[in-house]
C-alpha cells in the first residue's frame, strides 16, 4: 500500500538522527525510495563527519597570529602628533587658532567697551525670565486645579490612611514591574536547544 504523505521536510530529516520515528514517517520511508535514499545518504554523511578528527589550534597559535598583526602608526597618533604630521595640518591648525583667538579677543574687547549695555541686557533677561517663570507656574497650577481628578487627588493626599494605601499599592506595582523586567532580561539557567549564547 503506497502512502500519500509528502516527502520528508528538513526538520523531519533531522529528527531521523535524534529521536524515535513516528509511525507515519517509518511507513513513508518503507514506501518512498527517494526519501529512504536521502535518509541513508544523510546518515552516511553524519557518520563520516563523526569520524573526522577533532582539531584544536596548536599551543601558541594566538600568540603567533597576534605577532603578525600590524597596527598602523596613524591609527594611534594623538592629536598633537596629527597636527604636527605635515605642514598643511600645522597651517590649518594655526589658521583656526588665529580665527578663534581673534573672535574671542574681539568679544572680550566689545564686552569691556559696552559693560552698561550688557548689564542692562542681563537685568532685563533676569526680570523677564522671573516673570515668565511665575506666570507659567500660576497658569499650570490653575489648569491642574480645574481638572476633574484634582479633588479626588486632594482628598487622597490630605488623608494619611488613603495616601499610605496608594503609596503601598504603587510600591507593590513598581516592585512587580522590576521583578518582571529582571525575569525578562535574565539568561536562562538551563541550556536552550539550538541557542548560541
Amino acid at each position: 500500500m503506497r502512502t500519500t504523505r509528502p516527502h520528508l521536510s528538513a526538520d523531519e530529516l533531522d529528527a531521523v538522527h535524534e529521536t524515535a520515528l513516528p509511525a507515519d514517517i517509518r511507513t513513508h520511508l518503507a514506501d518512498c525510495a527517494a526519501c529512504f535514499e536521502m535518509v541513508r545518504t544523510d546518515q552516511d554523511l553524519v557518520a563520516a563527519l563523526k569520524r573526522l578528527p577533532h582539531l584544536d589550534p596548536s599551543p601558541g597559535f594566538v600568540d603567533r597570529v597576534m605577532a603578525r598583526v600590524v597596527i598602523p602608526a596613524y591609527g594611534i597618533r594623538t592629536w598633537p602628533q596629527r597636527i604636527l604630521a605635515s605642514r598643511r595640518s600645522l597651517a590649518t591648525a594655526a589658521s583656526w587658532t588665529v580665527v578663534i583667538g581673534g573672535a574671542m579677543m574681539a568679544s572680550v574687547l566689545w564686552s569691556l567697551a559696552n559693560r552698561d549695555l550688557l548689564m542692562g541686557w542681563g537685568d532685563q533677561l533676569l526680570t523677564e525670565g522671573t516673570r515668565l517663570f511665575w506666570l507659567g507656574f500660576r497658569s499650570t497650577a490653575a489648569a491642574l486645579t480645574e481638572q476633574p481628578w484634582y479633588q479626588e487627588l486632594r482628598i487622597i493626599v490630605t488623608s494619611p490612611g488613603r495616601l499610605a494605601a496608594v503609596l503601598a499599592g504603587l510600591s507593590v506595582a513598581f516592585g512587580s514591574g522590576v521583578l518582571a523586567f529582571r525575569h525578562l532580561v535574565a539568561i536562562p539557567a538551563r541550556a536552550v536547544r539550538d541557542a548560541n549564547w
Side-chain angles (χ1 to χ4, degrees):
M1 175 180 170
R2 295 198 58 81
T3 180
T4 58
R5 188 188 188 286
H7 290 298
L8 295 181
S9 67
D11 291 336
E12 291 170 333
L13 185 61
D14 289 341
V16 168
H17 304 291
E18 297 175 0
T19 60
L21 295 178
D24 64 325
I25 293 181
R26 283 196 308 261
T27 305
H28 180 74
L29 287 174
D31 292 340
C32 180
C35 286
F36 180 79
E37 183 62 29
M38 183 173 59
V39 167
R40 196 172 63 78
T41 303
D42 203 46
Q43 287 173 336
D44 291 344
L45 176 63
V46 169
L49 290 173
K50 286 182 179 177
R51 287 192 299 271
L52 289 175
H54 182 70
L55 299 176
D56 286 327
S58 60
F61 173 75
V62 174
D63 295 331
R64 289 193 305 274
V65 169
M66 292 308 294
R68 293 184 180 189
V69 173
V70 178
I71 299 175
Y74 63 82
I76 56 173
R77 281 193 284 190
T78 61
W79 66 267
Q81 290 172 328
R82 281 188 230 139
I83 290 174
L84 300 173
S86 67
R87 288 183 180 166
R88 182 177 179 193
S89 61
L90 185 60
T92 303
S95 61
W96 275 109
T97 303
V98 168
V99 169
I100 293 171
M104 289 176 67
M105 184 60 72
S107 172
V108 168
L109 291 175
W110 186 89
S111 299
L112 289 174
N114 298 292
R115 288 181 64 178
D116 294 336
L117 181 62
L118 285 175
M119 293 297 284
W121 285 351
D123 291 342
Q124 185 178 3
L125 282 174
L126 182 61
T127 304
E128 282 298 311
T130 306
R131 187 182 69 78
L132 287 174
F133 171 77
W134 285 114
L135 181 64
F137 181 77
R138 283 195 296 263
S139 62
T140 303
L144 286 175
T145 56
E146 292 175 7
Q147 298 299 318
W149 47 262
Y150 176 75
Q151 290 302 325
E152 296 172 11
L153 181 64
R154 186 173 177 188
I155 291 170
I156 291 173
V157 170
T158 55
S159 172
R162 290 181 182 164
L163 182 61
V166 168
L167 290 177
L170 289 174
S171 299
V172 169
F174 178 76
S176 301
V178 169
L179 288 176
F181 181 72
R182 184 177 175 198
H183 179 71
L184 285 173
V185 298
I187 296 175
R190 61 184 175 84
V192 178
R193 187 171 176 236
D194 298 330
N196 296 321
W197 296 99

